[in-house]
Amino acid sequence: DAGVTQSPTHLIKTRGQQVTLRCSPKSGHDTVSWYQQALGQGPQFIFQYYEEEERQRGNFPDRFSGHQFPNYSSELNVNALLLGDSALYLCASSLVVGASEAFFGQGTRLTVV
Amino acid sequence: GESVGLHLPTLSVQEGDNSIINCAYSNSASDYFIWYKQESGKGPQFIIDIRSNMDKRQGQRVTVLLNKTVKHLSLQIAATQPGDSAVYFCAETPFSGGYNKLIFGAGTRLAVHP
C-alpha cells in the first residue's frame, strides 16, 4: 500500500515564477492538507481539501491556491514566487470521518532564487 | 539532505536511557494532540496521539502525558535507541476528525549518543 506520494522531490524556481506541486494521498483517504515548513520550524497549515473544495485555510496569501481532483489527488500552486517561499512543502492525507491520523508525504523542497 | 531542525532546542541522551520531550500547547479548546517524529529529508511520521478526555496513553516504548490544567504535553521514550534520533513535534487540533488542521509546536531535536 503506497503511502502519501509527492512530486517533485526538489525544485528550483526564480522569483516571480509560478510553481505547481502534486500529491497523491494514501489509498482510501479522501482529505488532503498542505503545509509549509521553513528550515528549523514546525509545519504551518496552508489549506485543506475535501470533496474537491477548500475547507479550511491558514494564514497564507491568495498567491497560494490548490485543487483536488475526483481521485482525491491534489495540487498546490504558488504564483509570483518570493524568496521567502523557499521551504519544504508537505502534503498530508486523512479520512474526514473516523480515524483522524494524518499521514505525511516526504515533501517537496522548493528553493526560490 | 538538509537538516529539519538547525536551530531547535536539543535533548541529548545516552542510548538506553529514557527520554522526555515536552511541549506547551496554545489552545485550551484543542481536542486532540499528536506527536510526530521527523527525520532529516522526510515528512513527519505519526508516533502517538491522545484525546483531551485522557491524561495518559501508552504505545510501544512511548507514553504521552497530557496536563490540560497547564496546557502541557510530554512524550516519554523508554530505552532510547540511536534510531530515535530525529526532530519531534507536538501538534494540536480542535477536532478529532476531519475538517481540522494541525497546529505544530516548535519542535525538539533528540540526539541519542552510544
Side-chain angles (χ1 to χ4, degrees):
Chain A
D1 175 30
V4 179
T5 58
Q6 293 185 242
S7 63
T9 55
H10 293 83
L11 201 54
I12 299 175
K13 288 287 189 178
T14 303
R15 275 181 300 175
Q17 285 189 315
Q18 179 266 342
V19 69
T20 297
L21 311 181
R22 295 176 176 82
C23 172
S24 292
K26 180 177 171 64
S27 178
H29 283 185
D30 55 10
T31 302
V32 172
S33 302
W34 287 92
Y35 292 81
Q36 180 194 66
Q37 185 175 26
L39 204 59
Q41 297 183 19
Q44 298 292 314
F45 177 79
I46 303 175
F47 43 52
Q48 181 184 76
Y49 278 83
Y50 170 67
E51 290 187 332
E52 303 178 48
E53 291 188 12
E54 183 182 296
R55 298 292 178 168
Q56 286 197 78
R57 188 178 184 91
N59 188 26
F60 279 81
D62 291 344
R63 297 187 297 109
F64 290 77
S65 63
H67 188 78
Q68 185 180 35
F69 300 93
N71 66 353
Y72 307 120
S73 67
S74 177
E75 288 182 349
L76 164 65
N77 300 291
V78 187
N79 294 322
L81 284 167
L82 304 173
L83 295 179
D85 294 332
S86 296
L88 181 68
Y89 288 85
L90 295 162
C91 170
S93 74
S94 58
L95 285 169
V96 71
V97 293
S100 55
E101 179 182 339
F103 289 81
F104 283 83
Q106 83 285 358
T108 294
R109 172 68 64 186
L110 173 65
T111 302
V112 183
V113 297
Chain B
E2 294 182 46
S3 172
V4 169
L6 287 178
H7 306 292
L8 295 172
T10 298
L11 174 65
S12 293
V13 300
Q14 292 295 122
E15 182 179 356
D17 286 352
N18 296 332
S19 302
I20 300 177
I21 301 172
N22 297 303
C23 173
Y25 64 90
S26 58
N27 189 346
S28 58
S30 290
D31 179 59
Y32 180 63
F33 304 87
I34 313 102
W35 280 100
Y36 283 93
K37 171 186 180 183
Q38 188 173 25
E39 297 173 286
S40 186
K42 297 184 179 180
Q45 176 186 3
F46 175 92
I47 302 172
I48 191 168
D49 58 5
I50 188 168
R51 297 196 175 179
S52 60
N53 62 351
M54 304 169 67
D55 53 19
K56 180 179 180 179
R57 190 170 187 212
Q58 289 184 294
Q60 185 177 11
R61 280 203 308 120
V62 294
T63 300
V64 56
L65 299 177
L66 174 63
N67 185 330
K68 294 182 288 294
T69 302
V70 295
K71 294 192 289 187
H72 183 268
L73 196 64
S74 69
L75 176 69
Q76 300 177 1
I77 304 174
T80 313
Q81 302 169 359
D84 295 326
S85 294
V87 176
Y88 289 80
F89 293 98
C90 66
E92 58 184 298
T93 186
F95 307 104
S96 55
Y99 297 143
N100 56 62
K101 64 181 182 182
L102 295 170
I103 302 169
F104 283 82
T108 297
R109 172 187 293 279
L110 176 65
V112 182
H113 303 286

